[in-house]
Amino acid sequence: MVQIPQCRGEISRSHSVLVGALVRLAQCINCHKAVSGVQDLRSHTQALLWHQILFLEIRTGEAQGPLPTERTDELPLPLNVDDHGPFNVPSSIMAWTDSSFSIIRYECYEIHRLIFRGRVAVEHNDITIQELLEAVDRRKKEVIAKHDAILDSCVPIQQCAKTVMKLLLARCDGMTLTGQLHRFEDVGVQVQMKAR
């Protein structure tokens, strides 16, 4: 609870260290082993908590480094259900619930994690920048298709969620290409040093 407001404003190296300790602590109580499908209140709460911790990790990683370490490709998102349930449903409810705003944010940050991993893969020549941009674009379209239909612009909290979704998705292309710009800047510096 303390880290959430602290990581919203200025982030220092101490925040990065504290979030790293928080990740390990959450792993000790098995938050990272949240189940998919049928859940109960406890596993639903653990899944929400774990994804909030992953948000803090990516936030501190962006500001201070190192890159986010947790792999989340196989980790299911929490069910999109109200806080009072029902938790015995096999899949998320396709309507606005108490969890919807958080899940929208978590899905957008999953794309940001994909970008961080993809930038490393591009540097190692495992994929091209075009392939990474296409993968990011596919994921963005999936998130928009999934959530746009359930968001009512006349309801303030849902309009806010829609705006946050658009802002987080708008960052994706810039994040992807910024990594390439830094790569070319490094090459340019090396060329200039060799020329001297």
Side-chain angles (χ1 to χ4, degrees), residues 31-40 43-44 47 75-79:
C31 278
H32 64 299
K33 293 184 179 175
V35 296
S36 59
V38 177
Q39 296 185 354
D40 57 15
S43 59
H44 177 70
L75 184 68
L77 286 164
L79 290 177

Side-chain angles (χ1 to χ4, degrees), residues 75-94:
L75 184 68
L77 286 164
L79 290 177
N80 186 28
V81 294
D82 285 315
D83 290 342
H84 53 80
F87 298 104
N88 59 348
V89 293
S91 61
S92 292
I93 298 168
M94 291 312 296

Side-chain angles (χ1 to χ4, degrees), residues 7-96:
C7 290
R8 292 278 182 195
E10 185 178 330
I11 295 181
S12 68
R13 292 195 191 281
S14 64
H15 294 119
S16 187
V17 171
L18 290 170
V19 169
L22 182 60
V23 168
R24 302 300 169 251
L25 181 63
Q27 287 173 329
C28 289
I29 59 171
N30 289 326
C31 278
H32 64 299
K33 293 184 179 175
V35 296
S36 59
V38 177
Q39 296 185 354
D40 57 15
L41 178 59
R42 179 186 171 129
S43 59
H44 177 70
T45 305
Q46 282 185 325
L48 287 170
L49 177 62
W50 179 245
H51 280 278
Q52 181 62 41
I53 291 169
L54 292 179
F55 157 71
L56 292 173
E57 185 200 28
I58 200 169
R59 180 78 180 90
T60 55
E62 282 178 316
Q64 292 288 327
L67 292 177
T69 57
E70 291 302 314
R71 293 296 302 251
T72 56
D73 347 27
E74 294 112 19
L75 184 68
L77 286 164
L79 290 177
N80 186 28
V81 294
D82 285 315
D83 290 342
H84 53 80
F87 298 104
N88 59 348
V89 293
S91 61
S92 292
I93 298 168
M94 291 312 296
W96 180 264

